[in-house]
Amino acid sequence: MDAAFTAEQDEIRRTLRELLARHSGPDDVRSAMGTRDGYDAALWRRLAQDLGLPGIALPQEYGGAGRGPAELAVVCEEAGRALLPSPLLATAVLAAPLIAALGTAEQRTALLPAVAAGELTAALAVPGGSLATALGLTGDLTGGSWAGGGRAGGVQARPAGDGGGWRLYGEADQVLDGHSAGLLLVAAHTGGFPRSRTLLFLVRTDGPQAPAGLVRTRQTALDETRPLARVQLRDTEAELLGADDTVDASAALAVAGRAVAAALAAEAVGAAASALERTVAHVGERERLGRATGSSRTVQHRLADLYVRVQSARSAAYYAALDPEAGGLALAQALEVLHVTTAEAVQLHGGAGFTWEHEARLYFKRAAADELLLGPVHRLRDHAAERAGLFGPGTGEQGPVEQGPADRVAV
């Protein structure tokens, strides 16, 4: 397996980093967070038109760039470095691949070119309050118990009874960019408890007025660069994603979840690397001015340990981009490294790092919010170990342990 970056991938990284360096400083990030959508719409249009980021992994026949998961990981890493508030994660990483995988030819033709052009943003709305569970990263999706199944709770779907269409009833909390997305991709259950199955539905919200029965409320988020919303559906009209209702979408969510984990691992690594670089620069400046925090050698050892951790997590993330089966473990490692690195960054920035306005705190809040949204880390690892068969069923004995992805590859 060739783990080296191509010239094209290096060019994507360089171009994106230069652009974000000019438009995503701490003040720019705070300004974008305060907008109605929660991101800089003008910057998003430029990222779409000049760099094609929303469609970087979409097929060329739908207006995308036709690149692979490695290029998407590069983009996500750079977005993580800048703590970029944008619909990239919700639209390009979560929703678009599901539309491409399950949608009919007509649905793909109608939706994906607009997504690739940056004209349509999308959000994945899953009930149950846990995105990681809905993507099969921390639990089993079989039977739909993760979101209420056919019992009360979750989101229920029923045929409209007028010869076509569906109606949705229920709510989903913590929907990433759910308050501003022009398209909602809603996971819902149908068939009643004995025959319950999970399906995905399309709810267009980019029309002149909101669909009847749909209420979207932006929530207060720990990490304001990741806007979250509560989506309530009260007999809301929806369109089934796909040709018919015989296919349970849980399998597609699980497959997509592994690719999503790889992209999110790269994003977390980018944030950790940026936090570390800023901390190294701060410590160096204090030493130059004779105001070093604690023992110089001790601080150097702490920073060196963080560097090794970040590089190991980066290797694991890019290995997962090439082998999505490693996505869950790579995400767990990246989230853990991001938490440790940002906590050290706050400490080593001294008194300034403890103020909520300081940039070190922005990275620390990203670490905490990411684990709440995508973790926790121990459950990610537990489920990945269970899927890999590392522990015998019911025996508690550990099976043979293969060499970890971070030890097999260095990018």
Side-chain angles (χ1 to χ4, degrees):
M1 182 181 292
D2 186 3
F5 290 116
T6 66
E8 185 179 37
Q9 290 165 352
D10 285 334
E11 181 64 17
I12 292 172
R13 183 188 303 280
R14 183 191 65 78
T15 304
L16 183 55
R17 186 175 297 187
E18 289 179 356
L19 177 60
L20 295 183
R22 295 194 298 269
H23 297 279
S24 291
D27 292 338
D28 297 304
V29 170
R30 293 188 181 94
S31 175
M33 292 188 304
T35 63
R36 179 180 62 85
D37 291 337
Y39 61 90
D40 185 339
L43 177 58
W44 174 246
R45 287 194 295 271
R46 184 172 181 185
L47 292 173
Q49 295 168 4
D50 295 353
L51 302 180
L53 293 197
I56 191 166
L58 289 176
Q60 292 180 340
E61 62 183 300
Y62 299 117
R67 303 297 180 244
E71 287 78 12
L72 182 60
V74 169
V75 168
C76 287
E77 184 182 357
E78 292 306 311
R81 286 179 61 90
L83 291 186
L84 176 67
S86 81
L88 179 68
L89 175 56
T91 300
V93 179
L94 290 169
L98 288 168
I99 297 172
L102 295 179
T104 64
E106 291 78 9
Q107 288 170 336
R108 294 195 298 269
T109 301
L111 299 174
L112 294 181
V115 168
E119 300 167 355
L120 178 66
T121 59
L124 176 62
V126 294
S130 174
L131 183 61
T133 302
L135 293 173
L137 297 174
T138 56
D140 185 9
L141 297 183
T142 305
S145 60
W146 53 277
R151 302 179 186 273
V155 178
Q156 308 301 322
R158 61 176 179 81
D162 54 4
W166 292 76
R167 298 284 180 172
L168 304 181
Y169 193 95
E171 69 177 48
D173 290 325
Q174 300 183 36
V175 179
L176 191 61
D177 288 322
H179 67 293
S180 62
L183 173 69
L184 294 177
L185 191 59
V186 183
H189 296 279
T190 187
F193 178 62
R195 299 177 54 250
S196 175
R197 59 193 180 280
T198 303
L199 301 174
L200 290 173
F201 296 89
L202 303 170
V203 178
R204 295 294 296 260
T205 64
D206 57 344
Q209 61 185 41
L214 174 66
V215 178
R216 301 189 290 173
T217 307
R218 183 172 178 178
Q219 298 177 300
T220 301
L222 174 62
D223 176 12
E224 294 176 322
T225 68
R226 288 212 195 282
L228 299 173
R230 174 183 291 113
V231 175
Q232 297 173 300
L233 305 126
R234 298 293 182 264
D235 205 32
T236 302
E237 185 177 358
E239 176 187 350
L240 177 68
L241 178 64
D244 56 61
D245 62 352
T246 60
V247 178
D248 194 317
S250 295
L253 284 167
V255 171
R258 292 189 280 276
V260 167
L264 293 177
E267 187 194 60
V269 166
S274 182
L276 177 58
E277 290 169 8
R278 294 167 187 270
T279 304
V280 169
H282 174 77
V283 169
E285 179 64 16
R286 288 188 66 86
E287 288 186 349
R288 186 183 70 81
L289 297 174
R291 300 175 181 176
T293 304
S295 166
S296 175
R297 186 173 297 276
T298 299
V299 171
Q300 289 173 6
H301 286 172
R302 289 164 67 181
L303 294 174
D305 178 66
L306 292 177
Y307 176 81
V308 172
R309 285 173 175 256
V310 170
Q311 292 304 313
S312 178
R314 189 167 185 254
S315 294
Y318 280 96
Y319 180 89
L322 302 176
D323 180 9
E325 289 296 322
L329 285 176
L331 179 57
Q333 184 175 355
L335 292 180
E336 184 175 61
V337 167
L338 178 58
H339 175 80
V340 172
T341 304
T342 55
E344 286 279 25
V346 170
Q347 291 285 337
L348 292 175
H349 272 84
F354 284 89
T355 62
W356 283 111
E357 294 77 15
H358 195 275
E359 63 183 25
R361 279 286 183 169
L362 291 176
Y363 286 91
F364 182 79
K365 288 192 286 186
R366 166 61 65 89
D370 268 8
E371 187 163 1
L372 288 174
L373 183 67
L374 306 167
V377 167
H378 72 273
R379 289 188 60 191
L380 288 166
R381 286 197 170 119
D382 179 72
H383 187 62
E386 183 180 345
R387 290 186 64 253
L390 296 182
F391 298 92
T395 65
E397 296 181 359
Q398 185 172 354
V401 179
E402 296 182 359
Q403 190 178 26
D407 299 319
R408 290 198 295 266
V409 63
V411 178

